[in-house]
Amino acid sequence: MNIYSWHERNWANLFIDTKRFPHGLILYGPRDSGINNFASIAGKRLICSNSNKTERYCGICQNCSWFDSQSHPDFISVNNDSLDEKNIIKIDSIRNLKDFFELSSHQKNGKKVAVIYDAHQMNLAASNALLKILEEPPNDSVIILTTSNLSSLLPTIKSRSRLESFSKPSYEDATNFLKTINKDHQYPFLQFYNSNPLALINDCENHPLLIEIISSLKLGKKFDLSDIDGRWFSNGLIWLINLLQKWSYDILLSKLVNQQYYFPNEELTINQLARSSNTSALLKFQKMLMDVKLYATSPVNKEINLDIIFIYYRKIFI
Ligand SMILES: [Zn+2]
């Protein structure tokens, strides 16, 4: 268990002086950039008995061992298991934190650490309960929040916490990281995932579907409406619209500046499609996708929408 290489700067920022570690800390940045992993390792470091002798944590002390078996009395987390059916972190989870901090630390002068993953999922009652804890933080307590949606946290929670911004990995970071997983494997969709290797890995079960849809889109004017399959919706309409947006963006980019961004491996096909496309129809198609995205979260007749979208798609090409 280690932090990702693109988070080294954040690590250095935070652990330059552990004694002055803040009571409240918010780690924020893009989804799937590895922040939750960072928060967990930061928690382990704060609890490890030998952290002054090592860069992260020692991995062999009693505290590290309890941490690994998820039984450390001075560490608590609110994670996916704590969410209700609507993916909301409710007040009960935060009340548990209050009870947790009321007990003194297991170690003499040790810290008690709580991590709330994806803290933007707290409802208002939970947020207010957390605010109460942050207003009068117990000695040696640390509360780490992670979020990909900083603006949805209460301003009063933010003002009582230190904010640490995380960025997504560079393309070079991403390719280096993927090489460590499998140095011989090609990752043709890395740019489709905005060069975020964790997003790519998290969505890997959808790659066959991605290939299937792209092979249909490659037909351009000859796109066959009967190719549309219920599975195309298995990740929700937004996922499909995002794919269409990126695909049409690349056709437009090819037409305008002869480049691809999201699908560099499909250069030949995209260039061909771009040459046979009508720019104003392409722009109209993109506008349509944006409109559909706006109401995609409300109950709509998906099949009707899709038919219209793909009939438009075919009209792009002359
Ligand atoms: Zn240790």
Side-chain angles (χ1 to χ4, degrees), residues 32 34 70 103 137 167 172 176-177 184 260 285 304:
D32 295 319
Q70 299 180 353
L103 296 169
S167 50
E172 191 186 4
N176 287 340
F177 171 74
D184 299 321
Q260 284 77 43
F285 178 68
I304 289 174

Side-chain angles (χ1 to χ4, degrees), residues 83-203:
L83 300 179
D84 73 358
E85 65 284 353
K86 289 180 186 157
N87 278 351
I88 297 290
I89 300 173
K90 292 172 108 170
I91 191 167
D92 291 348
S93 302
I94 307 301
R95 283 197 184 118
N96 286 342
L97 296 195
K98 190 169 179 293
D99 297 341
F100 165 79
F101 282 122
E102 275 168 5
L103 296 169
S104 58
S105 164
H106 180 78
Q107 299 183 81
K108 194 165 178 279
N109 302 323
K111 288 191 189 302
K112 286 184 79 80
V113 181
V115 178
I116 304 175
Y117 299 104
D118 302 318
H120 50 270
Q121 297 183 122
M122 284 188 293
N123 66 11
L124 187 60
S127 298
N128 280 322
L130 176 65
L131 184 59
K132 290 237 162 56
I133 303 175
L134 286 168
E135 278 170 344
E136 291 178 42
N139 282 342
D140 295 317
S141 65
V142 175
I143 301 176
I144 303 176
L145 313 186
T146 70
T147 184
S148 56
N149 190 355
L150 184 65
S151 61
S152 67
L153 293 182
L154 287 183
T156 39
I157 288 181
K158 286 185 270 194
S159 68
R160 281 175 174 77
S161 306
R162 173 171 162 183
L163 271 58
E164 179 72 14
S165 162
F166 286 65
S167 50
K168 77 179 187 72
S170 66
Y171 184 75
E172 191 186 4
D173 289 332
T175 49
N176 287 340
F177 171 74
L178 291 171
K179 273 184 208 153
T180 65
I181 296 177
N182 185 338
K183 74 179 170 52
D184 299 321
H185 191 68
Q186 298 292 313
Y187 295 93
F189 294 127
L190 181 56
Q191 275 157 268
F192 175 75
Y193 292 99
N194 291 308
S195 304
N196 184 340
L198 304 179
L200 176 143
I201 290 166
N202 291 343
D203 202 38

